[in-house]
Amino acid sequence: SQTIHQWPATLVQPVGSPLSLECTVEGTSNPNLYWYRQAAGRGLQLLFYSVGIGQISSEVPQNLSASRPQDRQFILSSKKLLLSDSGFYLCAWERQGLNIQYFGAGTRLSVL
Amino acid sequence: AQSVTQLGSHVSVSEGALVLLRCNYSSSVPPYLFWYVQYPNQGLQLLLKYTTGATLVKGINGFEAEFKKSETSFHLTKPSAHMSDAAEYFCAVPSGSARQLTFGSGTQLTVLP
Protein backbone atom coordinates (compact mmCIF):
# COMPACT_ATOMS: atom_id res chain seq x y z
CA SER A 1 0.00 0.00 0.00
CA GLN A 2 1.00 3.59 -0.48
CA THR A 3 1.94 5.94 2.33
CA ILE A 4 2.99 9.54 2.50
CA HIS A 5 5.24 10.99 5.16
CA GLN A 6 5.79 14.61 6.12
CA TRP A 7 8.22 15.95 8.66
CA PRO A 8 8.58 17.63 10.93
CA ALA A 9 5.06 17.66 12.35
CA THR A 10 5.59 20.96 14.11
CA LEU A 11 8.17 23.67 13.59
CA VAL A 12 8.80 27.02 15.24
CA GLN A 13 11.24 29.25 13.41
CA PRO A 14 12.38 32.86 13.80
CA VAL A 15 11.80 35.39 11.05
CA GLY A 16 14.66 35.38 8.58
CA SER A 17 15.68 31.78 9.20
CA PRO A 18 15.73 29.12 6.45
CA LEU A 19 13.13 26.41 6.01
CA SER A 20 13.13 22.88 4.72
CA LEU A 21 10.05 20.65 4.86
CA GLU A 22 10.24 17.19 3.44
CA CYS A 23 7.62 14.90 1.97
CA THR A 24 8.16 11.36 0.77
CA VAL A 25 5.82 8.82 -0.76
CA GLU A 26 6.20 5.07 -0.55
CA GLY A 27 4.64 2.29 -2.55
CA THR A 28 4.17 4.04 -5.87
CA SER A 29 6.26 5.47 -8.67
CA ASN A 30 6.08 8.65 -10.73
CA PRO A 31 3.34 10.27 -8.65
CA ASN A 32 2.14 13.81 -9.08
CA LEU A 33 3.15 15.72 -5.96
CA TYR A 34 1.64 18.83 -4.40
CA TRP A 35 2.35 21.35 -1.66
CA TYR A 36 -0.58 23.21 -0.14
CA ARG A 37 -0.74 25.83 2.60
CA GLN A 38 -3.68 26.19 4.93
CA ALA A 39 -3.79 29.46 6.85
CA ALA A 40 -5.76 29.60 10.08
CA GLY A 41 -9.51 29.56 9.39
CA ARG A 42 -9.06 29.41 5.65
CA GLY A 43 -9.13 26.84 2.89
CA LEU A 44 -6.22 25.25 1.13
CA GLN A 45 -4.03 27.14 -1.29
CA LEU A 46 -1.98 25.22 -3.83
CA LEU A 47 1.64 26.36 -3.71
CA PHE A 48 3.54 23.98 -5.99
CA TYR A 49 2.98 20.85 -7.99
CA SER A 50 5.29 18.45 -9.75
CA VAL A 51 4.63 15.86 -12.42
CA GLY A 52 8.17 14.46 -12.43
CA ILE A 53 11.72 14.75 -11.13
CA GLY A 54 12.98 18.30 -11.45
CA GLN A 55 9.66 19.53 -12.80
CA ILE A 56 8.14 22.15 -10.52
CA SER A 57 5.27 24.51 -11.21
CA SER A 58 4.45 27.39 -8.93
CA GLU A 59 0.92 28.61 -8.47
CA VAL A 60 1.51 31.83 -6.57
CA PRO A 61 4.46 34.18 -6.25
CA GLN A 62 5.89 33.88 -2.81
CA ASN A 63 8.83 33.51 -0.54
CA LEU A 64 8.95 29.74 -0.93
CA SER A 65 10.44 27.31 -3.41
CA ALA A 66 10.07 23.60 -4.04
CA SER A 67 12.31 20.88 -5.40
CA ARG A 68 11.91 17.25 -6.39
CA PRO A 69 15.34 15.66 -6.28
CA GLN A 70 13.97 12.11 -6.42
CA ASP A 71 10.84 10.54 -7.83
CA ARG A 72 9.09 10.24 -4.49
CA GLN A 73 10.60 13.16 -2.60
CA PHE A 74 9.23 16.68 -2.55
CA ILE A 75 10.87 19.46 -0.56
CA LEU A 76 9.52 22.87 0.36
CA SER A 77 12.14 25.50 1.16
CA SER A 78 12.72 29.10 2.00
CA LYS A 79 15.94 31.06 2.38
CA LYS A 80 14.41 33.61 4.76
CA LEU A 81 11.08 33.05 6.46
CA LEU A 82 8.50 35.80 6.85
CA LEU A 83 5.81 36.07 9.49
CA SER A 84 3.24 35.50 6.76
CA ASP A 85 4.74 32.07 6.04
CA SER A 86 3.12 30.69 9.19
CA GLY A 87 0.50 28.08 8.51
CA PHE A 88 -0.24 24.41 8.08
CA TYR A 89 1.61 22.88 5.14
CA LEU A 90 0.23 19.81 3.48
CA CYS A 91 1.86 17.55 0.96
CA ALA A 92 -0.24 15.36 -1.31
CA TRP A 93 0.35 12.74 -3.96
CA GLU A 94 -1.71 11.46 -6.82
CA ARG A 95 -1.26 8.41 -8.98
CA GLN A 96 -1.22 9.81 -12.48
CA GLY A 97 -4.56 9.29 -14.16
CA LEU A 98 -6.58 8.41 -11.08
CA ASN A 99 -7.61 11.93 -10.09
CA ILE A 100 -7.51 11.38 -6.34
CA GLN A 101 -5.07 13.21 -4.09
CA TYR A 102 -3.91 11.67 -0.85
CA PHE A 103 -2.59 13.92 1.87
CA GLY A 104 0.13 13.71 4.45
CA ALA A 105 -0.43 14.59 8.10
CA GLY A 106 0.89 18.11 7.62
CA THR A 107 3.49 20.37 9.18
CA ARG A 108 2.42 23.24 11.39
CA LEU A 109 4.88 26.09 10.93
CA SER A 110 4.97 29.05 13.29
CA VAL A 111 7.24 31.92 12.32
CA LEU A 112 7.95 34.21 15.26
CA ALA B 1 -11.68 27.99 -13.95
CA GLN B 2 -13.81 25.74 -11.83
CA SER B 3 -14.46 26.67 -8.23
CA VAL B 4 -16.65 25.48 -5.37
CA THR B 5 -18.53 27.41 -2.73
CA GLN B 6 -19.31 25.99 0.67
CA LEU B 7 -22.21 27.72 2.37
CA GLY B 8 -21.84 27.91 6.10
CA SER B 9 -18.38 28.01 7.63
CA HIS B 10 -19.77 26.47 10.83
CA VAL B 11 -22.54 23.93 11.25
CA SER B 12 -23.72 22.51 14.57
CA VAL B 13 -25.94 19.48 14.94
CA SER B 14 -27.01 17.31 17.82
CA GLU B 15 -25.75 13.77 18.07
CA GLY B 16 -28.09 11.55 16.09
CA ALA B 17 -29.39 14.38 13.93
CA LEU B 18 -29.06 14.72 10.17
CA VAL B 19 -25.85 16.26 8.88
CA LEU B 20 -26.10 18.46 5.77
CA LEU B 21 -23.04 20.28 4.48
CA ARG B 22 -23.49 22.36 1.34
CA CYS B 23 -21.27 22.65 -1.71
CA ASN B 24 -22.03 24.31 -5.05
CA TYR B 25 -19.78 24.18 -8.09
CA SER B 26 -19.31 27.17 -10.32
CA SER B 27 -20.11 26.44 -13.89
CA SER B 28 -20.03 23.52 -16.26
CA VAL B 29 -20.46 20.02 -14.93
CA PRO B 30 -17.08 18.97 -13.60
CA PRO B 31 -15.74 15.51 -14.35
CA TYR B 32 -15.02 14.96 -10.67
CA LEU B 33 -16.00 16.37 -7.31
CA PHE B 34 -14.58 15.45 -3.95
CA TRP B 35 -15.37 15.71 -0.28
CA TYR B 36 -12.48 15.56 2.17
CA VAL B 37 -12.51 15.57 5.97
CA GLN B 38 -9.83 17.05 8.19
CA TYR B 39 -9.59 16.18 11.87
CA PRO B 40 -7.71 18.63 14.12
CA ASN B 41 -4.01 18.92 13.30
CA GLN B 42 -4.21 16.20 10.69
CA GLY B 43 -4.09 15.98 6.92
CA LEU B 44 -7.11 15.62 4.69
CA GLN B 45 -8.80 12.29 4.24
CA LEU B 46 -10.89 11.48 1.20
CA LEU B 47 -14.55 10.89 2.07
CA LEU B 48 -15.93 10.33 -1.40
CA LYS B 49 -15.47 11.09 -5.08
CA TYR B 50 -18.05 11.90 -7.75
CA THR B 51 -17.47 10.85 -11.32
CA THR B 52 -19.56 11.80 -14.32
CA GLY B 53 -22.83 9.89 -14.51
CA ALA B 54 -23.29 9.21 -10.83
CA THR B 55 -25.97 10.94 -8.79
CA LEU B 56 -25.71 9.51 -5.29
CA VAL B 57 -22.17 8.78 -4.16
CA LYS B 58 -21.52 6.78 -1.04
CA GLY B 59 -18.41 7.41 1.00
CA ILE B 60 -16.76 6.28 4.17
CA ASN B 61 -18.11 6.66 7.71
CA GLY B 62 -21.74 6.67 6.54
CA PHE B 63 -21.48 9.83 4.48
CA GLU B 64 -22.97 10.27 1.05
CA ALA B 65 -23.34 13.10 -1.42
CA GLU B 66 -25.94 13.77 -4.08
CA PHE B 67 -24.98 15.41 -7.36
CA LYS B 68 -27.73 17.72 -8.67
CA LYS B 69 -26.97 19.29 -12.01
CA SER B 70 -30.06 21.52 -11.91
CA GLU B 71 -28.84 23.06 -8.68
CA THR B 72 -25.08 22.86 -9.42
CA SER B 73 -24.79 21.24 -6.02
CA PHE B 74 -22.95 18.38 -4.39
CA HIS B 75 -24.14 18.45 -0.79
CA LEU B 76 -22.77 16.04 1.79
CA THR B 77 -25.15 14.25 4.14
CA LYS B 78 -25.19 11.71 6.92
CA PRO B 79 -28.45 10.48 8.44
CA SER B 80 -27.26 10.38 12.03
CA ALA B 81 -24.36 12.43 13.38
CA HIS B 82 -21.82 10.89 15.71
CA MET B 83 -19.50 12.73 18.04
CA SER B 84 -16.56 11.43 16.03
CA ASP B 85 -17.84 13.30 12.96
CA ALA B 86 -16.73 16.60 14.44
CA ALA B 87 -14.16 17.90 11.97
CA GLU B 88 -13.70 20.30 9.09
CA TYR B 89 -15.08 19.27 5.73
CA PHE B 90 -13.86 20.46 2.35
CA CYS B 91 -15.43 20.22 -1.06
CA ALA B 92 -12.99 20.22 -3.98
CA VAL B 93 -13.03 20.29 -7.77
CA PRO B 94 -10.25 19.73 -10.32
CA SER B 95 -9.04 22.87 -12.06
CA GLY B 96 -6.04 23.90 -14.04
CA SER B 97 -3.84 21.76 -16.18
CA ALA B 98 -2.13 19.37 -13.82
CA ARG B 99 -4.90 17.77 -11.83
CA GLN B 100 -4.89 20.64 -9.40
CA LEU B 101 -7.65 20.69 -6.85
CA THR B 102 -9.45 23.86 -5.91
CA PHE B 103 -10.89 23.61 -2.43
CA GLY B 104 -13.81 25.34 -0.86
CA SER B 105 -13.22 27.38 2.26
CA GLY B 106 -14.35 24.51 4.47
CA THR B 107 -17.19 23.86 6.91
CA GLN B 108 -16.46 23.18 10.55
CA LEU B 109 -18.91 20.60 11.87
CA THR B 110 -19.65 20.55 15.59
CA VAL B 111 -21.64 17.68 17.06
CA LEU B 112 -23.43 18.49 20.30
CA PRO B 113 -24.15 15.81 22.90
Side-chain angles (χ1 to χ4, degrees):
Chain A
S1 64
Q2 299 81 26
T3 55
I4 179 169
H5 302 280
Q6 275 188 253
W7 66 91
T10 305
L11 190 60
V12 180
Q13 291 285 95
V15 169
S17 63
L19 173 74
S20 180
L21 303 182
E22 189 160 343
C23 171
T24 59
V25 181
E26 296 178 357
T28 189
S29 59
N30 198 29
N32 290 336
L33 295 172
Y34 304 85
W35 277 111
Y36 290 89
R37 176 169 57 202
Q38 186 177 28
R42 300 172 66 176
L44 281 77
Q45 178 186 35
L46 178 64
L47 301 176
F48 301 95
Y49 66 89
S50 172
V51 298
I53 296 174
Q55 300 178 61
I56 309 295
S57 295
S58 174
E59 283 301 291
V60 293
Q62 58 201 305
N63 184 43
L64 302 168
S65 61
S67 61
R68 185 170 177 175
Q70 301 180 46
D71 181 45
R72 290 168 289 176
Q73 183 185 31
F74 205 24
I75 298 172
L76 184 69
S77 303
S78 173
K79 293 182 179 178
K80 287 186 178 181
L81 284 168
L82 305 173
L83 287 173
S84 57
D85 292 323
S86 294
F88 193 49
Y89 289 83
L90 290 159
C91 180
W93 76 274
E94 177 193 54
R95 180 176 290 137
Q96 294 198 21
L98 286 191
N99 300 298
I100 297 177
Q101 292 185 21
Y102 298 94
F103 287 78
T107 296
R108 184 160 303 282
L109 172 66
S110 298
V111 182
L112 305 177
Chain B
Q2 276 279 11
S3 64
V4 287
T5 301
Q6 290 185 241
L7 295 176
S9 59
H10 291 84
V11 170
S12 293
V13 300
S14 298
E15 190 174 18
L18 171 71
V19 176
L20 171 61
L21 305 181
R22 300 177 186 274
C23 173
N24 289 87
Y25 59 91
S26 60
S27 54
S28 57
V29 174
Y32 309 101
L33 282 162
F34 304 87
W35 275 102
Y36 283 86
V37 60
Q38 185 180 30
Y39 298 100
N41 295 310
Q42 294 187 28
L44 276 71
Q45 180 181 5
L46 180 69
L47 271 179
L48 51 82
K49 171 188 175 183
Y50 159 83
T51 54
T52 302
T55 51
L56 188 63
V57 182
K58 293 189 181 298
I60 62 171
N61 301 339
F63 284 92
E64 60 185 31
E66 185 174 7
F67 179 79
K68 290 188 176 180
K69 183 178 178 181
S70 60
E71 298 177 8
T72 64
S73 68
F74 188 56
H75 301 333
L76 182 71
T77 61
K78 182 174 180 177
S80 177
H82 192 273
M83 297 297 289
S84 61
D85 295 326
E88 190 158 21
Y89 293 80
F90 293 92
C91 183
V93 65
S95 63
S97 59
R99 306 272 194 255
Q100 301 159 49
L101 284 181
T102 296
F103 287 84
S105 55
T107 298
Q108 182 68 48
L109 175 66
T110 300
V111 181
L112 305 170

